[in-house]
Amino acid sequence: MQVNGEKELIQVVDLHKSFGNLQVLKGVTEHISKGEVVSVIGPSGGGKSTFLRCLNLLETPDGGHIYFEGTDITDKKVDINVHRQKMGMVFQHFNVFNNLTVGKNITLAPVLLGKKTQAEADDMAKELLERVGLSDKVNQYPKKLSGGQKQRLAIVRALAMEPDVMLFDEPTSALDPEMVGEVLLVIKDLVKTGLTTVIVTHEMGFAKEVSNRVLFMDGGIIAEKGTPDEVFNHPQNPRTKEFLSKVLY
Amino acid sequence: MEFFSVMLQLWNEYWKLFLEGLGMTLFMGFLTVLLSTIFGAVMALMRRSKWGIGKFRPLNAIAAVYVEVIRGTPILLQLYFFYFMLPQWVPFLELTEFQCVLIACCVNSTAYVCEIIRSGIQAVDFGQTEAARSLGLNGRQTMIHIVLPQAVKNILPALCNEFVAIVKETSLASTFFVGELMTQFKTIQGITYRVLEPLTIVGLIYFLVTFVMSKLIALLERRMNASER
């Protein structure tokens, strides 16, 4: 089923999700267009991460639909693994594969899923590692990397699948302060290439700078949305105002 | 001291029996661990299976009950049970006493190995699974390439400890005179009417074997932690 033509990459319709008795998403409807950079901000427990994790079905929604490139991926008959290959994800806690070298972290999925031969993947890994300044680590295990290095590796691991959209789930929240910059720099470079990106973040300055659109989530719904200027400089919703007054000082 | 001279005398006279017993003990321990690793792995898979109707998952339920029952009853009782039950229920197999006891040991150990493997897999950070799935790997690929290689590091040392435990537990099999180390103590006791001296020798042998194995396991653990560094 095609919704709203070609431009919509992701279309979310009336998304609901509960954990036990706790209703985390109470009907979220939103669309992500090709080439957009969308930041999702809001207080903890507002449903930001759950919303993002529903997009590639790491959380199974209880109700509603998610159309990715025209396919309803909430349909049980859809092979979600095929669609996940086109949705890169970066986690708060990096989740780099501890049992694989830096190089293998990158090449495992493309080779295993038949997108590339090992030789092709190795070349690509070299290029990607160069891009994020980790060329000398290719044969090391993640244990030896710092948090910032791990997160940069996690980003290029996702890029190696040549995804159509990148999902970032609080990519800098678990980092030591001095490592936040290097990771944000990599993400900044990435969005410049025009790759569609959704970022859940607490870095307000960063969200303001890189995104085309900002979603403010609170209480399981999108309470306010607009351009960074609209949301940060002229918030309409009192909840947005209250939140921003707490985090911007 | 008379005690030590008798011990020495017994050793000189019967060392062959002691060593035979030790051989049998290690043989039983090894065979038990080997077999129960295979069955324990299958049992752990059943325990993790999501296959079922609604909330009822039969494979999971069978494995869960098995583990609880075996861990909740004494091993000596299990030995008795299989020793008498097998020849009665499956007489056509013509199992020897040793085989009956070995089967009982495997049945017992399988429950523990199942839990070792299950918790070894569970201890791998779930983020690893999520990352692999987010790249488009299916559940099986994730298990083989990401989870199991990391779980092995938790499982292998625990399995070796189970081997040490089994080596000691096989002493209970002496109830049925199957020829392991503790049986040899009873034999020598019967010949010489001496108790403490042969018992001490047997105890020393058990201790030496388990002590050396524990040290080897510690070494193995250190080695495994050293890789990937």
Side-chain angles (χ1 to χ4, degrees), chain A residues 53 56 58 81 84-85 87 89 91 95-100 108-109 112-113 141 143-144 157-158 161, chain B residues 125-139 141 145-147 149-150 225 227-229:
Chain A
R53 289 163 57 82
N56 67 353
L58 279 187
N81 296 320
R84 279 183 181 147
Q85 293 180 25
M87 309 170 108
M89 182 141 192
F91 299 84
N95 299 348
V96 289
F97 301 136
N98 298 322
N99 59 320
L100 301 176
L108 176 77
L112 199 60
L113 300 172
Y141 283 92
K143 247 187 192 168
K144 275 213 165 162
R157 176 181 67 182
M161 288 300 291
Chain B
D125 178 16
F126 191 63
Q128 299 283 312
T129 301
E130 286 197 327
R133 297 306 304 269
S134 80
L135 288 165
L137 269 61
N138 62 30
Q141 292 164 329
H145 294 276
I146 302 300
V147 179
Q150 296 184 52
N225 283 333
S227 74
E228 294 185 10
R229 223 169 251 214

Side-chain angles (χ1 to χ4, degrees), chain A residues 207-233:
Chain A
K208 209 166 164 180
E209 187 186 338
V210 302
S211 30
N212 309 117
R213 270 193 320 131
V214 177
L215 310 178
F216 172 72
M217 285 192 76
D218 187 21
I221 55 164
I222 296 174
E224 181 154 6
K225 59 182 167 184
T227 65
D229 181 54
E230 283 166 355
V231 174
F232 285 109
N233 299 336

Side-chain angles (χ1 to χ4, degrees), chain B residues 69-70 73-90 95 100-101 103-105 107 175-176:
Chain B
V69 169
I70 295 299
T73 52
I75 182 170
L76 189 56
L77 182 146
Q78 291 160 15
L79 285 170
Y80 268 107
F81 187 80
F82 282 94
Y83 184 80
F84 291 112
M85 179 270 268
L86 287 172
Q88 245 180 62
W89 289 9
V90 282
L95 293 170
C100 287
V101 169
I103 288 171
C105 284
V107 165
T175 315
F176 309 102

Side-chain angles (χ1 to χ4, degrees), chain A residues 125-136:
Chain A
K126 220 177 119 194
E127 233 169 80
L128 285 168
L129 286 174
E130 213 161 298
R131 210 164 124 189
V132 294
L134 292 174
S135 297
D136 52 329

